[in-house]
Amino acid sequence: MLEQRRRHYLQVMGIELWERRAAKAEAACLRAAHRQTPAPVPANTETNTLVRHVSTTGVSENIATMDWETLERTVLSCTRCALHKTRTQAVFGVGNRQAQWMVIGEAPGADEDRQGEPFVGRAGQLLNQMLKAIGLAREEVYITNIVKCRPPGNRDPLPEEAATCEPYLKRQIELVKPKIILAVGRIAAQNLLKTDIKIGALRGKRHVFPGTEIPLVVTYHPAYLLRSPLEKRKAWNDLQLARRVAQGA
């Protein structure tokens, strides 16, 4: 890649350091909100497994066969884990529902919790610039998170929280049918690939989302890049790889 383009990319991504968000995790384990709540989906469950969900109206619905409207309504009213008790609102996802690119992060932050849209804070501004650097507008991709509700204090999502939201995410992926998934950050990458391998070892490779043929590329979370701007060159390489994969190269 020409050095001029590299410099342009770094200039586009040149945002001042972001204040580190609270790192202290909540100690209490979260329990299901309803006695009728189904158990979290096992990690090896196939994408097309039928998952039962009891909505707030008491109507049993099948997540794996929901259309967009029903799925979004179900997510916004979800009480399957205790995160609903501390959220302002669930954050479903945003963008082109027929997108070729699907960007998946970890969980909503404070800004996302207030506005009901993923990646709208300073990290979201950087994500928009990262996409722009490879010729994509935010409106062209579909953006969502592993977990749909903000964990208290912006802590990392717990494994049981991610497992509870997993059927929603799988259905979103099935409905979008993307040509490529960009996993943004360690938590997103490890949950999507069902691994505990560190993000540094997951980067730079073409993965496949389990149970499908959808290619998946891993990169750093924009919030991390704001704290560690020297890593932006690595993220640029990840984006170039993702673009080649999406083009079938």
Side-chain angles (χ1 to χ4, degrees), residues 198-231:
K198 294 181 178 180
I199 188 170
L202 294 174
R203 289 183 49 257
K205 302 174 183 177
R206 181 189 187 278
H207 303 275
V208 176
F209 180 61
T212 75
E213 297 181 356
I214 302 172
L216 186 152
V217 172
V218 175
T219 192
Y220 292 119
H221 197 284
Y224 170 76
L225 296 176
L226 288 171
R227 300 192 300 269
S228 308
L230 295 179
E231 302 285 36

Side-chain angles (χ1 to χ4, degrees), residues 51-72:
V51 182
R52 305 300 293 181
H53 169 66
V54 179
S55 70
T56 54
T57 62
V59 178
S60 180
E61 296 179 302
N62 191 323
I63 296 174
T65 59
M66 289 180 182
D67 59 20
W68 276 113
E69 290 70 25
T70 305
L71 182 64
E72 182 171 12

Side-chain angles (χ1 to χ4, degrees), residues 128-144:
N128 293 346
Q129 292 172 344
M130 292 168 67
L131 294 171
K132 182 179 179 181
I134 55 171
L136 292 171
R138 179 182 177 93
E139 296 76 17
E140 294 181 77
V141 305
Y142 189 81
I143 306 172
T144 190

Side-chain angles (χ1 to χ4, degrees), residues 35-240:
R35 299 176 67 180
Q36 295 180 340
T37 300
V41 180
N44 62 354
T45 302
E46 293 296 328
T47 301
N48 62 354
T49 298
L50 303 185
V51 182
R52 305 300 293 181
H53 169 66
V54 179
S55 70
T56 54
T57 62
V59 178
S60 180
E61 296 179 302
N62 191 323
I63 296 174
T65 59
M66 289 180 182
D67 59 20
W68 276 113
E69 290 70 25
T70 305
L71 182 64
E72 182 171 12
R73 185 170 62 249
T74 303
V75 168
L76 295 180
S77 63
C78 181
T79 57
R80 298 182 71 201
C81 80
L83 286 182
H84 80 277
K85 298 178 181 179
T86 56
R87 75 187 182 207
T88 300
Q89 57 189 316
V91 180
F92 180 67
V94 69
N96 182 358
R97 291 180 173 181
Q98 296 179 322
Q100 295 186 359
W101 285 64
M102 190 165 184
V103 180
I104 303 177
E106 57 178 66
D111 293 320
E112 291 76 17
D113 182 59
R114 285 191 297 268
Q115 298 185 41
E117 183 175 326
F119 286 95
V120 295
R122 298 181 68 184
Q125 295 172 18
L126 180 53
L127 176 62
N128 293 346
Q129 292 172 344
M130 292 168 67
L131 294 171
K132 182 179 179 181
I134 55 171
L136 292 171
R138 179 182 177 93
E139 296 76 17
E140 294 181 77
V141 305
Y142 189 81
I143 306 172
T144 190
N145 285 306
I146 294 290
V147 172
K148 309 306 185 189
C149 298
R150 179 195 180 199
N154 282 9
R155 63 161 171 75
D156 292 344
L158 300 176
E160 53 265 39
E161 294 163 354
T164 299
C165 270
E166 186 177 48
Y168 298 142
L169 178 63
K170 285 186 173 182
R171 185 55 181 159
Q172 286 176 304
I173 294 172
E174 290 172 344
L175 289 169
V176 174
K177 298 180 177 65
K179 291 182 64 174
I180 186 169
I181 293 173
L182 184 66
V184 178
R186 173 184 62 84
I187 292 173
Q190 291 179 342
N191 275 278
L192 288 167
L193 295 174
K194 303 303 178 190
T195 183
D196 58 1
I197 297 175
K198 294 181 178 180
I199 188 170
L202 294 174
R203 289 183 49 257
K205 302 174 183 177
R206 181 189 187 278
H207 303 275
V208 176
F209 180 61
T212 75
E213 297 181 356
I214 302 172
L216 186 152
V217 172
V218 175
T219 192
Y220 292 119
H221 197 284
Y224 170 76
L225 296 176
L226 288 171
R227 300 192 300 269
S228 308
L230 295 179
E231 302 285 36
K232 290 179 180 180
R233 288 185 179 272
K234 294 180 181 179
W236 170 239
N237 292 334
D238 297 335
L239 294 173
Q240 293 292 339

